[in-house]
């Protein structure tokens, strides 16, 4: 996948986005997208959790600490 | 202060430390005396892998009483540095959120994270970017958000301090570039993080041109006084505790400009924070401030001043049953002293004791010293 596929703002800033996705809904959806061969930008990293209730506020802080520009929690 | 091996060798095994330790009272296997004794035999032995290393509150009750002045908390800290290398790590409380916040603040200069830590002040009073006084707010803006679920109004003390300072005619510097003082990183054995945070703070203070730094957090005050000076030499600003400062200002000014109304609480007691009391020697100033409020009936708990018992945890780690037992004991002591309100001078004591009130059926109210004063000064 080329750089052009990155999520990019007008300024050329390509944010690193960490997505924490629930196994039973949003992760399955992402999986379905994969099976259907939809492409998604490589600056989006998905982490699967068994339930979004597993997420605690420190997951978000840790993502920022390690260099994420945005965190998406989906479930 | 670095503890030398020779100093540890002076231990005469009197056991005063273990007898004084609030953790030993709850966990009979925890013994500062035994820890010292074992490390004299085996300096790099068992201790490096023990969980007791992290259970100590570094509350200094033992070292305050040790006849040969062994600084046990410093002993623990020096071993924590080594334990981290041996991958013996503490159990972090609150999912490690507070440790992450400090770490993110330390990356500020290279990652460009901007803090907004003055928004609260804009709503309540006047402050500036440059000036003689710098009000070091500490972690209160973060605590205020994190501990909402306990209904602890952490920022109230900062708001009330700013209002009182404004009333005295002082518009202190409050800076977005201030960061965590590094107290917890230091006591948890993370010296690199501590140094980074300390450097950033010294830089922010220098940029403000301030010569007098006011602290309300006992940890910030103590770490600047005890440790910043050790790492960075003499600082070209004065480190002042707000309780001391306000006591001077409020007692020297004519009483008409500061009218105190009688307090609405019947009787209060004061919780000495370990960093303010035993580690900094400030016992009387907060009490005198409380007594400025007419009709205050200040009761003393059984354990007060240098004998005061810690609020149960330090450096946001190892919160356990033992912490809870200590906190509940403290609430009971306050009740026995005949107080219905505990006044605290430390934001962490306020959080921990409030947390205990939610698990224990009690009517006791926890309030911070400066909100108590402001309430009676009618500047709420
Ligand atoms: S109080 Fe001091 S001398 Fe006594 S056992 Fe403890 S460390 Fe040793
Ligand atoms: S510092 Fe406090 S908790 Fe640690 S051993 Fe001494 S008395 Fe016990």
């Amino acid at each position: 996948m080329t750089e052009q596929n990155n999520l990019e703002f007008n300024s050329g800033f390509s944010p690193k986005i960490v997505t924490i996705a629930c196994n039973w809904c949003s992760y399955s959806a992402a999986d379905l997208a994969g099976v259907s061969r939809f492409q998604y930008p490589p600056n989006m990293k998905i982490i699967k959790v068994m339930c979004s209730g597993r997420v605690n506020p420190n997951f978000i802080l840790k993502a920022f600490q390690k260099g994420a520009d945005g965190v998406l929690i989906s479930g | 202060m670095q503890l030398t091996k020779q100093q540890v060798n002076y231990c005469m095994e009197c056991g005063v430390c273990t007898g004084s330790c609030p953790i030993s009272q709850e966990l009979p296997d925890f013994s500062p005396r035994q820890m010292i004794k074992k490390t004299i035999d085996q300096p790099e032995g068992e201790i490096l892998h023990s969980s007791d290393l992290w259970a100590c509150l570094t509350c200094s009750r033992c070292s305050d009483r040790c006849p040969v002045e062994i600084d046990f908390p410093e002993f623990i800290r020096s071993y924590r540095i080594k334990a981290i290398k041996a991958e013996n790590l503490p159990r972090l409380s609150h999912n490690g959120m507070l440790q992450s916040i400090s770490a993110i603040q330390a990356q500020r200069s290279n990652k460009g994270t901007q803090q907004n830590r003055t928004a609260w002040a804009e709503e309540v009073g006047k402050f500036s970017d440059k000036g003689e006084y710098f009000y070091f707010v500490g972690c209160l803006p973060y605590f205020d958000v994190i501990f909402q679920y306990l209904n602890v109004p952490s920022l109230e003390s900062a708001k009330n301090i700013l209002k009182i300072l404004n009333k005295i005619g002082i518009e202190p510097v409050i800076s977005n570039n201030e960061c965590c003082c590094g107290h917890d990183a230091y006591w948890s054995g993370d010296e690199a993080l501590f140094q980074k945070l300390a450097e950033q703070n010294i830089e922010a203070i220098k940029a403000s041109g301030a010569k007098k730094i006011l602290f309300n957090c006992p940890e910030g005050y103590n770490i600047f006084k005890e440790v910043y000076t050790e790492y960075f030499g003499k600082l070209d600003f004065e480190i002042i505790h707000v309780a001391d400062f306000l006591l001077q200002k409020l007692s020297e000014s004519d009483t008409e400009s500061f009218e105190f109304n009688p307090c609405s609480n019947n009787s209060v007691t004061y919780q000495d924070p370990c960093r303010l009391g035993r580690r900094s020697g400030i016992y009387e100033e907060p009490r005198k401030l409380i007594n400025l409020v007419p009709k205050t009936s200040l009761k003393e708990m059984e354990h007060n001043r240098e004998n005061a018992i810690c609020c149960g945890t330090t450096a946001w780690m190892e919160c356990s049953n033992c912490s809870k037992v200590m906190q509940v004991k403290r609430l009971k002591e306050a009740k026995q002293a005949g107080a219905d309100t505990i006044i605290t001078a430390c934001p962490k004591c306020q959080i921990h004791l409030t947390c205990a009130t939610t698990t224990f059926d009690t009517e006791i109210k926890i309030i911070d010293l400066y909100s108590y004063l402001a309430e009676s000064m009618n500047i709420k």
Side-chain angles (χ1 to χ4, degrees):
Chain A
M1 199 172 291
T2 60
E3 271 298 302
Q4 277 89 41
N5 293 72
N6 273 11
L7 269 179
E8 251 184 47
F9 292 117
N10 294 339
S11 59
F13 167 59
S14 146
K16 286 189 213 110
I17 298 183
V18 171
T19 301
I20 304 177
C22 160
N23 180 58
W24 308 105
C25 49
S26 38
Y27 191 83
S28 312
D31 214 20
L32 180 63
V35 170
S36 321
R37 299 181 177 235
F38 291 135
Q39 291 201 343
Y40 69 88
N43 49 341
M44 171 91 122
K45 322 274 179 206
I46 301 187
I47 297 170
K48 177 168 81 172
V49 284
M50 290 311 282
C51 171
S52 46
R54 172 71 184 86
V55 178
N56 71 46
N58 199 33
F59 284 22
I60 306 169
L61 292 171
K62 271 278 171 214
F64 286 124
Q65 189 190 333
K66 304 269 178 199
D69 297 304
V71 182
L72 174 68
I73 297 173
S74 174
Chain B
M1 189 190 28
Q2 286 296 324
L3 199 66
T4 61
K5 181 158 180 298
Q6 192 195 10
Q7 270 167 301
V8 179
N9 282 341
Y10 286 153
C11 173
M12 47 195 207
E13 296 187 32
C14 64
V16 163
C17 48
T18 306
S20 314
C21 173
I23 300 275
S24 303
Q25 276 175 27
E26 308 308 330
L27 303 175
D29 290 343
F30 180 90
S31 161
R33 178 179 76 91
Q34 290 290 349
M35 282 162 94
I36 296 248
K37 196 174 165 207
K38 280 185 195 156
T39 38
I40 291 175
D41 282 349
Q42 284 183 304
E44 307 281 307
E46 199 182 304
I47 186 165
L48 286 183
H49 306 281
S50 96
S51 56
D52 287 351
L53 203 49
W54 299 105
C56 167
L57 302 162
T58 63
C59 73
S60 312
R61 210 162 181 250
C62 53
S63 52
D64 205 56
R65 296 177 177 182
C66 171
V68 289
E69 296 178 359
I70 290 176
D71 189 349
F72 188 78
E74 175 55 31
F75 165 84
I76 283 286
R77 192 190 70 84
S78 61
Y79 271 99
R80 283 180 180 175
I81 299 173
K82 295 179 190 167
I84 293 173
K85 291 190 187 122
E87 293 184 19
N88 171 11
L89 302 173
R91 280 169 297 181
L92 305 181
S93 308
H94 309 287
N95 307 310
M97 256 192 287
L98 294 125
Q99 283 80 1
S100 299
I101 290 171
S102 309
I104 294 173
Q105 289 178 28
Q107 295 170 343
R108 205 183 60 208
S109 41
N110 56 11
K111 292 232 172 99
T113 314
Q114 280 295 324
Q115 298 184 89
N116 178 356
R117 47 187 310 149
T118 53
W120 64 269
E122 276 154 26
E123 290 166 17
V124 293
K126 295 191 194 125
F127 64 99
S128 55
D129 292 338
K130 291 202 184 307
E132 190 188 356
Y133 292 96
F134 187 112
Y135 171 32
F136 194 94
V137 181
C139 298
L140 295 175
Y142 293 98
F143 294 170
D144 202 67
V145 178
I146 296 175
F147 298 104
Q148 252 169 19
Y149 73 98
L150 284 175
N151 286 327
V152 184
S154 295
L155 265 177
E156 280 306 304
S157 56
K159 288 180 185 167
N160 286 316
I161 287 170
L162 182 61
K163 285 183 200 163
I164 301 174
L165 289 176
N166 282 176
K167 195 153 185 188
I168 297 174
I170 294 172
E171 285 179 24
V173 175
I174 300 178
S175 167
N176 276 326
N177 292 331
E178 177 195 316
C179 60
C180 163
C181 65
H183 171 278
D184 293 350
Y186 177 79
W187 284 104
S188 313
D190 189 345
E191 283 196 315
L193 177 58
F194 162 73
Q195 282 212 29
K196 181 84 188 108
L197 293 165
E199 280 162 13
Q200 290 182 178
N201 277 327
I202 293 178
E203 203 181 293
I205 292 171
K206 276 201 177 131
S208 74
K211 290 285 168 247
K212 294 185 167 134
I213 320 301
L214 301 172
F215 292 85
N216 69 296
C217 177
E219 299 189 336
Y221 172 76
N222 181 258
I223 201 95
F224 265 71
K225 244 193 146 105
E226 227 186 288
V227 188
Y228 277 35
T229 43
E230 190 194 312
Y231 277 69
F232 303 98
K234 199 177 166 316
L235 303 169
D236 55 4
F237 44 79
E238 210 181 320
I239 298 157
I240 305 168
H241 195 272
V242 131
D244 191 13
F245 184 76
L246 289 184
L247 183 65
Q248 276 180 25
K249 292 284 172 190
L250 296 180
S251 16
E252 80 194 13
S253 56
D254 57 288
T255 36
E256 277 185 14
S257 50
F258 298 106
E259 224 173 283
F260 289 94
N261 300 316
C263 68
S264 51
N265 302 296
N266 297 330
S267 51
V268 299
T269 187
Y270 172 67
Q271 159 79 1
D272 286 276
C274 52
R275 265 53 184 171
L276 195 61
R278 283 186 292 271
R279 288 207 84 90
S280 306
I282 297 186
Y283 296 110
E284 300 310 323
E285 289 81 348
R287 290 180 164 81
K288 286 183 185 156
L289 276 178
I290 294 170
N291 279 324
L292 286 179
V293 178
K295 297 215 172 111
T296 293
S297 150
L298 176 61
K299 315 267 189 197
E300 290 296 347
M301 287 187 263
E302 183 189 342
H303 297 96
N304 62 69
R305 298 182 171 82
E306 48 283 310
N307 292 327
I309 295 172
C310 165
C311 68
T313 49
T314 335
W316 304 118
M317 57 187 181
E318 301 287 331
C319 178
S320 63
N321 301 352
C322 182
S323 324
K324 271 288 157 296
V325 173
M326 283 169 65
Q327 290 157 0
V328 169
K329 265 193 188 169
R330 205 63 179 141
L331 296 179
K332 286 186 181 158
E333 257 190 40
K335 218 67 237 131
Q336 272 158 12
D340 53 23
T341 301
I342 301 180
I343 300 180
T344 64
C346 172
K348 291 188 183 171
C349 293
Q350 190 187 2
I351 292 165
H352 294 142
L353 293 177
T354 308
C355 175
T357 58
T358 63
T359 54
F360 169 63
D361 200 15
T362 174
E363 297 290 295
I364 284 200
K365 225 177 105 193
I366 318 286
I367 187 172
D368 79 275
L369 175 59
Y370 312 98
S371 303
Y372 183 75
L373 280 182
E375 201 173 305
S376 129
M377 287 170 86
N378 245 346
I379 52 173
K380 277 234 116 177

